[in-house]
Structures are given as structure tokens and as C-alpha cells.
Amino acid sequence: MTVDQLEGVVMSIDLRERISVNDSGVDLANVGAQDDPCVERVMQTGRHHGGQPLRMGGNTLLMRFPTPDEAVRAACDIQGLFETSLGIGQTQVMYRMGMHFGVIPLGDDPFGAPVFTGAAQIAALAGRKQILLTEDTAEHLSPVFRQMVYELPERLSPQDDQAVYELVCDQNDFGSLADTHEQGGLASGVLRLTYRDRDWRVSAKTSAMIAGRSPQSDIIAEGNLVSRFHARFEYRQGKFVLVDQSRNGSYVRFQNGKEVFLKHQELDLWGSGTVYLGERKAGPEGQIGFVCEA
């Protein structure tokens, strides 16, 4: 990078379906986007996390953030602003957010740079009330925020095979698959994970581990259908939980022969068994063994 460039995240926030009335009862139907209180509150929230508003084009606001972590924090706070504030209109507001990490040129007119194109493309893919990230953004997240992204089947564009990730701020949005096995609390237990000839431990102290193809994963798995951040194993309230974050899903085979498939869902682990990443008959490169030890 040169002195007139920096690395960061560009976030595109589409507010095309803004509120029509603010908390003062003022009709905003004919108010320009630049003067809309909704836009101003979004910008204030972004600035709180180090964001710099770049420009407003129609109903789309562009902001630059120094790191993906700060962009994710801002996106979740903006989402919370829309969902909880009467001043922002609650369910009347429909938003779409997309973010892309890359080299951002400085100067009078940086908007032709690939990072801006990526942000616009990813935002265009988003549905109502959805926050999407490019693979480059997800790859640069710190471990705590990697646990909040889930790979989708879509790709950024036919020309760009980057994976697309959804940011889920509230993890309760993904359902839990019920299991008939009664697992007692494991306050001092350990989940032992085995991949190839290596072992890992998950406990109340280590909290969680992510398995996937990314070099940033705790357990680096090499299967062809394994996502970069495929699944995480975590200790939660006395239980061990598998959370699928992948494009192709995960198969779990328990010691008694029972099999469960999950995709963007979570499942309590008990006893022992094998997790197959991406395909039911994955070879050793896609298999993780587990044992719950009291």
C-alpha cells in the first residue's frame, strides 16, 4: 500500500424504505435522505464505532471503518436501532447492509475502487433486514466475531467466486435441533475433539473452537466441501453444543448409530461420535471425532 491508501471496510447501508413519520410526528414522505433523522441516527451510530460517512447516493449511505470488527459492531447496533427505537419506526424500517474489506484509496474520488464495487454488490444481494459480508471481510474478523457469521450458498458474482456470509447479531435467531438424549450438566466436563492425529479440548475455560478451511480456524479441515468457518464447538450452560455455520451443512453420527443433519442450526453433543463436515460420507479430511468426558 502507498501513503494514499489504507485497508478497511466499506459498508453500504440501503435505506430505501425509510420511515414516513418520526417521533415528533413530522411527515418525512417528502424529506430528502440527507435531512432524514433516520439517516442521521445511523451515521451517529457508525461514528461511535469509528465509522466515517463517505457519501449519500439516493437512499444508500456509504461508511468506512478501520477494521471488520468495528464494522460488525456498528452493523449490529444499527440493526438494534431499527428494531427497538420508536424514533426509527420499529418494523416500518426496511434496511439492507453489505460490507467488503479491501484497500481504500484516499483522495477526492475514490469510489471507483474495487472495495466500493464489492460493498455495492454484497448489499444488492441482501434481503430485507439482512446484513451480508464478503469472504474477505469474514476472513479478517477476530475469533469472537467469526462465531457470528454463516456461509450462504450465493457467491458475490459470476465473475467473483467469493463466498457470501450473513451476520447474525442475535444467535437465538438460529433454532436448536432437539435431541431425545438427556444430557446432565457438565460443569467440569471436557469435550475432546480429534482431527487426523491431533486432539483439542473444549471446556468452560476454552469456551469455543471453530473448524473450517480457513487458516484462521482453530481446527483446519481440508475437505472439498468444508467451509472456511464451517462449524463451532462450544461449551454453554453445562452442555457441549455444535453450531453449523456452513454452506453445505454438517452430519453428526452418535455412538448409538443415530444420525442428525444440521445447517445453520445447533445441536447438543453427548457421549461420543463423529461430525462429518459438508457431506455425509466425508473422508478423513472432513471428519472430526468427539468424546464428551465428565
Side-chain angles (χ1 to χ4, degrees), residues 172-188:
N172 291 324
D173 286 349
F174 281 91
S176 176
L177 293 180
D179 194 283
T180 56
H181 183 86
E182 291 294 330
Q183 176 184 339
L186 297 170
S188 59

Side-chain angles (χ1 to χ4, degrees), residues 74-86:
C76 288
D77 280 356
I78 291 169
Q79 182 183 69
L81 186 68
F82 289 141
E83 298 296 329
T84 63
S85 172
L86 285 172

Side-chain angles (χ1 to χ4, degrees), residues 232-285:
R232 72 178 186 267
F233 299 84
E234 64 179 66
Y235 176 91
R236 187 194 305 162
Q237 298 178 341
K239 294 184 178 182
F240 296 114
V241 181
L242 170 67
V243 184
D244 179 80
Q245 303 178 207
S246 72
R247 180 186 186 189
N248 297 306
S250 301
Y251 297 80
V252 182
R253 184 176 301 153
F254 289 96
Q255 61 191 23
N256 63 357
K258 179 178 180 178
E259 292 187 357
V260 179
F261 173 72
L262 60 156
K263 184 175 182 180
H264 294 189
Q265 295 166 301
E266 61 183 45
L267 177 72
D268 291 348
L269 298 179
W270 51 269
S272 62
T274 304
V275 177
Y276 299 85
L277 305 178
E279 54 184 324
R280 186 169 178 266
K281 296 183 179 180
E285 69 280 358

Side-chain angles (χ1 to χ4, degrees), residues 135-265:
E135 182 178 314
D136 285 343
T137 309
E139 185 72 19
H140 286 83
L141 289 171
S142 62
V144 65
F145 290 110
R146 285 187 211 119
Q147 299 180 32
M148 298 166 62
V149 297
Y150 296 76
E151 186 174 348
L152 301 179
E154 294 82 4
R155 287 298 181 258
L156 187 60
S157 71
Q159 297 76 32
D160 190 335
D161 196 41
Q162 274 208 62
V164 172
Y165 291 82
E166 181 174 7
L167 171 66
V168 180
C169 299
D170 184 356
Q171 294 297 290
N172 291 324
D173 286 349
F174 281 91
S176 176
L177 293 180
D179 194 283
T180 56
H181 183 86
E182 291 294 330
Q183 176 184 339
L186 297 170
S188 59
V190 172
L191 175 66
R192 181 163 58 89
L193 302 173
T194 304
Y195 178 73
R196 302 286 195 173
D197 56 352
R198 292 191 59 191
D199 288 346
W200 291 262
R201 301 290 191 276
V202 177
S203 67
K205 293 182 179 180
T206 57
S207 182
M209 286 191 173
I210 293 181
R213 287 190 298 106
S214 170
Q216 306 300 322
S217 296
D218 301 295
I219 303 173
I220 302 175
E222 301 170 348
N224 291 332
L225 297 181
V226 177
S227 294
R228 298 184 72 79
F229 307 111
H230 194 103
R232 72 178 186 267
F233 299 84
E234 64 179 66
Y235 176 91
R236 187 194 305 162
Q237 298 178 341
K239 294 184 178 182
F240 296 114
V241 181
L242 170 67
V243 184
D244 179 80
Q245 303 178 207
S246 72
R247 180 186 186 189
N248 297 306
S250 301
Y251 297 80
V252 182
R253 184 176 301 153
F254 289 96
Q255 61 191 23
N256 63 357
K258 179 178 180 178
E259 292 187 357
V260 179
F261 173 72
L262 60 156
K263 184 175 182 180
H264 294 189
Q265 295 166 301

Side-chain angles (χ1 to χ4, degrees), residues 12-19 38 75-85 88-99 122-133 148 152 165-170 173-174:
S12 177
I13 308 167
D14 183 347
L15 301 172
R16 73 184 69 183
E17 299 175 69
R18 304 188 312 283
I19 56 173
C38 174
C76 288
D77 280 356
I78 291 169
Q79 182 183 69
L81 186 68
F82 289 141
E83 298 296 329
T84 63
S85 172
I88 294 297
Q90 291 185 334
T91 58
Q92 297 103 302
V93 174
M94 297 300 170
Y95 56 86
R96 294 169 173 84
M97 285 187 264
M99 59 186 83
I122 196 76
L125 288 175
R128 289 181 170 187
K129 297 188 176 184
Q130 193 173 36
I131 306 171
L132 299 184
L133 296 75
M148 298 166 62
L152 301 179
Y165 291 82
E166 181 174 7
L167 171 66
V168 180
C169 299
D170 184 356
D173 286 349
F174 281 91

